[in-house]
Amino acid sequence: MARIRFKHPLLYSTELGESTRMEGELKTASSLLVKGFFSGSIQTKAHVGVDRTANIQACLIEAESVLVKGRFSGSIRARSIVEVVSGASVSASIAAPQISIEPEAGFEGELRSGPDVHE
């Protein structure tokens, strides 16, 4: 299986730092990188990155694309792609047209993919 990768280097408009602890609903039109703790929901028309230092629990992410390097539990709905890389720990329901999970990533949950996944 060919490895799916994001086409361009990612730049983040907003960053929640390692020392940040946030709970609630976060809506933004721009890209977001989470490095700290987050619980709640994230909605964006852009990209969400879950850094290696992040711990995201009981969360719903709705975004264009999602890259997971850290710890995540909850649900992810992406309009294009979700990538879970080596070292990540994910317990989730993931729905996206394209999903990539590296062999060394920890994953438990449900996957739904394909062009009609959100219909």
Side-chain angles (χ1 to χ4, degrees):
M1 178 189 307
R3 184 166 182 214
I4 302 168
R5 297 297 288 173
F6 290 98
K7 294 179 184 178
H8 304 288
L10 298 172
L11 299 175
Y12 296 94
S13 299
T14 305
E15 181 177 305
L16 298 178
E18 287 183 49
S19 63
T20 302
R21 180 177 180 87
M22 184 174 173
E23 297 179 23
E25 184 176 307
L26 178 59
K27 291 183 180 183
T28 181
S30 59
S31 60
L32 172 69
L33 177 62
V34 180
K35 291 185 171 185
F37 175 87
F38 185 88
S39 177
S41 66
I42 296 171
Q43 292 180 331
T44 181
K45 295 180 180 179
H47 174 76
V48 173
V50 179
D51 197 65
R52 293 198 187 283
T53 58
N55 183 3
I56 300 180
Q57 298 178 3
C59 186
L60 167 62
I61 294 178
E62 294 178 325
E64 178 63 31
S65 57
V66 180
L67 174 62
V68 182
K69 296 180 179 181
R71 293 174 36 165
F72 178 87
S73 69
S75 298
I76 298 173
R77 292 178 49 94
R79 289 177 292 285
S80 63
I81 183 172
V82 174
E83 184 174 4
V84 180
V85 301
S86 297
S89 176
V90 176
S91 176
S93 171
I94 299 175
Q98 293 183 310
I99 300 170
S100 173
I101 301 175
E102 292 185 354
E104 297 81 21
F107 177 80
E108 175 184 351
E110 174 187 31
L111 300 174
R112 291 183 292 130
S113 67
D116 302 329
V117 71
H118 298 303
E119 293 182 0

